[in-house]
């Protein structure tokens, strides 16, 4: 029986902490470790040390992830051999999405840990993420004069990671140990600075929104008006200094000139015009085949007709509907909101609000950022959502937590 191996639970906690806190060091950290964790869990299952878990919220999340993969596969097969470049590797394209079949195995591994420990590991690892990652962001921004991305290879998913982890770190402010409260505050500030050094405009407000939501959830009745004002001023000063030092203010220069100064000679940058062009053509493609879709492997072909070398439409919802029609869009939305639904339906115990906060911030960042970028289809976006979503689902399944705690 799995519950007779406490070392497995300790190793799982340590692995989850290391994976999340070091996830910005390389683009593949979370992706490859998810695959490796699934493989290891399969071995444990085969040897009888783990048993599958499909009860409660775990089954719901695993089922939606599997359906998402199946929809991708069906539309891929429907459009096989149409517009994909004839390079002989079209058959391998579904492997990009195979990770959505692996939560079945990883959930069994996470289920050996009590829900409270999983959620605690999430916020501690999130705080550590900012402390570990900020030096890399400072080096890239101040020395190399580039948009910070650490080892992720792309500033936009890096910004999304910073927004998510800085918000999650705030949960430590509820810890009775003052040292952990300081860790939480440092994790929020460093994660926020990582977002600012990424110079990703759309994500910059998210940590402040996360802070506001945290106050609404946990501190509304515990802070005086003077404390609230002091914290607000401190965060605004941090944001202002971060925007200035990171040179992020240059990213807003064209917006300021067009909409504030109303300079008739000013124009928005290429990123705006390219997005508008892609959105209009992407929507037109959806209208041409609202249920038939075009297949995810053919997306680059249609974008290439516009003269752009992108592999998505810079809007996750348009991308989903273009690839897999309305069914694909529906499945995407259901998977995105499932952590919030799971958390909302949980018993209102001591884990209820922390879990719901994590779920809301996870879904919000994916929806907010996905309006101008992509949602799934990138190694970081896929793995980060699945890791955190599984923690939410496992911690929200009472039978798992009760069994584990009862065996201690």
């Amino acid at each position: 029986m799995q519950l007779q191996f406490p070392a497995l639970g300790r190793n799982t906690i340590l692995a989850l902490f290391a994976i999340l806190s070091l996830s910005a060091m390389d683009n593949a950290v979370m992706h490859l470790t998810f695959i490796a964790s699934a493989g290891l869990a399969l071995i444990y299952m085969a040897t009888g040390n783990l048993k599958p878990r499909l009860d409660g919220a775990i089954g719901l999340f695993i089922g939606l992830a599997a359906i998402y993969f199946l929809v991708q596969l069906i539309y891929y097969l429907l459009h096989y051999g149409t517009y994909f470049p004839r390079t002989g590797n079209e058959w391998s394209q579904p492997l990009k999405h195979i990770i959505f079949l692996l939560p079945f195995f990883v959930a069994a591994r996470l289920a050996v840990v009590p829900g409270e420990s999983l959620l605690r590991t999430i916020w501690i690892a999130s705080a550590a993420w900012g402390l570990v990652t900020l030096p890399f962001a400072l080096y890239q921004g101040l020395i190399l004069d580039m948009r910070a991305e650490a080892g992720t290879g792309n500033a936009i998913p890096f910004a999304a990671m910073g927004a998510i982890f800085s918000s999650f770190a705030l949960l430590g402010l509820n810890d009775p140990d003052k040292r952990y409260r300081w860790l939480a505050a440092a994790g929020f500030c460093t994660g926020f600075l990582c977002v600012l050094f990424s110079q990703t405009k759309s994500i910059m407000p998210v940590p402040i929104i996360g802070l506001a939501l945290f106050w609404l959830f946990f501190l509304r009745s515990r802070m005086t008006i003077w404390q609230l004002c002091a914290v607000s001023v401190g965060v605004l000063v941090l944001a202002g200094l971060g925007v200035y030092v990171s040179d992020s203010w240059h990213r807003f220069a064209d917006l300021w000139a067009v909409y504030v100064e109303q300079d008739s000679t000013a124009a928005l940058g290429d990123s705006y015009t390219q997005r508008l062009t892609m959105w209009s053509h992407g929507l037109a493609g959806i209208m041409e085949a609202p249920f038939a879709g075009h297949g995810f492997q053919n997306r680059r072909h249609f974008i290439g007709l516009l003269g752009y070398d992108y592999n998505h439409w810079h809007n996750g919802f348009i991308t989903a509907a273009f690839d897999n029609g309305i069914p694909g869009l529906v499945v995407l939305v259901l998977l995105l909101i499932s952590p919030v639904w799971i958390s909302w339906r949980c018993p209102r115990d001591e884990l209820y609000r922390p879990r719901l906060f994590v779920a809301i911030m996870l879904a919000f960042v994916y929806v907010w950022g996905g309006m101008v970028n992509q949602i799934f289809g990138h190694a970081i976006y896929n793995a980060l959502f699945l890791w955190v979503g599984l923690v939410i689902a496992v911690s929200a399944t009472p039978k798992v937590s009760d069994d584990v705690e009862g065996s201690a």
Side-chain angles (χ1 to χ4, degrees):
M1 290 292 291
Q2 60 176 329
L3 303 180
Q4 297 174 350
F5 293 84
L8 182 58
R10 290 195 297 270
N11 293 340
T12 299
I13 285 292
L14 291 174
L16 182 63
F17 172 82
I19 290 165
L20 295 182
S21 61
L22 301 177
S23 56
M25 296 302 99
D26 189 87
N27 178 46
V29 168
M30 281 193 294
H31 183 77
L32 292 183
T33 55
F34 196 89
I35 297 173
S37 296
L40 189 58
L42 176 60
I43 295 174
Y44 283 135
M45 287 180 180
T47 57
N49 293 325
L50 277 182
K51 59 183 179 181
R53 304 304 296 252
L54 287 172
D55 45 321
I58 297 176
L60 173 62
F61 187 80
I62 290 174
L64 286 173
I67 292 171
Y68 177 81
F69 172 81
L70 290 176
V71 169
Q72 298 277 348
L73 180 62
I74 289 170
Y75 279 88
Y76 157 81
L77 293 173
L78 286 174
H79 297 281
Y80 187 86
T82 52
Y83 295 102
F84 191 79
R86 304 298 180 182
T87 57
N89 66 345
E90 185 175 2
W91 63 270
S92 66
Q93 294 305 298
L95 296 177
K96 297 177 180 179
H97 303 280
I98 199 72
I99 191 173
F100 288 95
L101 289 180
L102 303 183
F104 172 78
F105 304 100
V106 179
R109 178 75 183 271
L110 293 177
V112 304
V113 180
E116 181 179 8
S117 298
L118 286 174
L119 290 174
R120 182 175 175 81
T121 302
I122 284 284
W123 81 252
I124 294 177
S126 296
W129 184 93
L131 296 172
V132 169
T133 307
L134 182 60
F136 293 90
L138 292 176
Y139 174 74
Q140 291 176 333
L142 300 178
I143 306 301
L144 300 183
D145 194 26
M146 59 179 284
R147 294 177 63 184
E149 58 186 39
T152 65
N154 192 316
I156 299 177
F158 175 71
M161 295 170 73
I164 288 174
F165 289 133
S166 62
S167 299
F168 289 176
L170 291 169
L171 288 174
L173 296 177
N174 292 325
D175 198 282
D177 191 326
K178 188 176 182 179
R179 293 171 298 179
Y180 281 107
R181 294 199 295 269
W182 281 111
L183 173 64
F188 171 79
C189 292
T190 52
F192 188 13
L193 287 173
C194 286
V195 175
L196 297 178
F197 273 88
S198 76
Q199 299 185 20
T200 304
K201 298 189 291 291
S202 59
I203 303 297
M204 287 182 189
V206 173
I208 296 178
I209 295 172
L211 183 60
L213 182 65
F214 180 81
W215 172 83
L216 185 65
F217 267 47
F218 301 102
L219 302 178
R220 183 173 44 174
S221 59
R222 292 163 47 188
M223 293 181 67
T224 66
I225 186 64
W226 299 111
Q227 290 174 324
L228 180 61
C229 289
V231 170
S232 300
V233 170
V235 172
L236 291 175
V237 169
L238 174 68
L241 289 174
V243 168
Y244 178 76
V245 174
S246 66
D247 277 345
S248 293
W249 63 275
H250 287 298
R251 303 274 294 169
F252 295 95
D254 50 358
L255 290 173
W256 183 271
V258 172
Y259 293 112
V260 178
E261 296 180 348
Q262 296 185 341
D263 185 350
S264 59
T265 63
L268 297 179
D270 289 341
S271 65
Y272 299 99
T273 55
Q274 289 180 5
R275 278 178 167 81
L276 290 173
T277 300
M278 285 190 291
W279 293 347
S280 62
H281 284 80
L283 287 171
I286 294 171
M287 298 304 295
E288 290 174 3
F291 291 96
H294 299 276
F296 71 87
Q297 76 272 26
N298 297 319
R299 190 192 311 143
R300 187 183 285 273
H301 164 80
F302 289 97
I303 297 175
L305 296 177
L306 305 176
Y308 302 137
D309 186 24
Y310 297 119
N311 62 359
H312 60 92
W313 292 100
H314 279 79
N315 181 295
F317 301 101
I318 292 176
T319 299
F322 183 90
D323 292 350
N324 310 313
I326 301 303
L329 177 61
V330 171
V331 172
L332 171 73
V333 171
L334 290 176
L335 181 57
L336 276 180
I337 66 173
S338 62
V340 179
W341 171 256
I342 290 169
S343 301
W344 179 262
R345 299 288 295 176
C346 281
R348 299 192 176 231
D349 55 16
E350 61 182 8
L351 298 183
Y352 179 79
R353 286 190 296 173
R355 185 192 296 113
L356 184 59
F357 174 78
V358 168
I360 290 175
M361 288 309 304
L362 177 69
F364 175 75
V365 170
Y366 273 74
V367 171
W368 178 275
M371 296 295 291
V372 294
N373 198 48
Q374 62 188 119
I375 294 177
F376 298 134
H378 186 283
I380 289 177
Y381 288 129
N382 294 348
L384 178 56
F385 185 85
L386 292 176
W387 275 118
V388 179
L390 278 176
V391 166
I392 293 169
V394 170
S395 69
T397 304
K399 189 176 187 301
V400 174
S401 299
D402 292 346
D403 286 350
V404 174
E405 290 167 358
S407 68

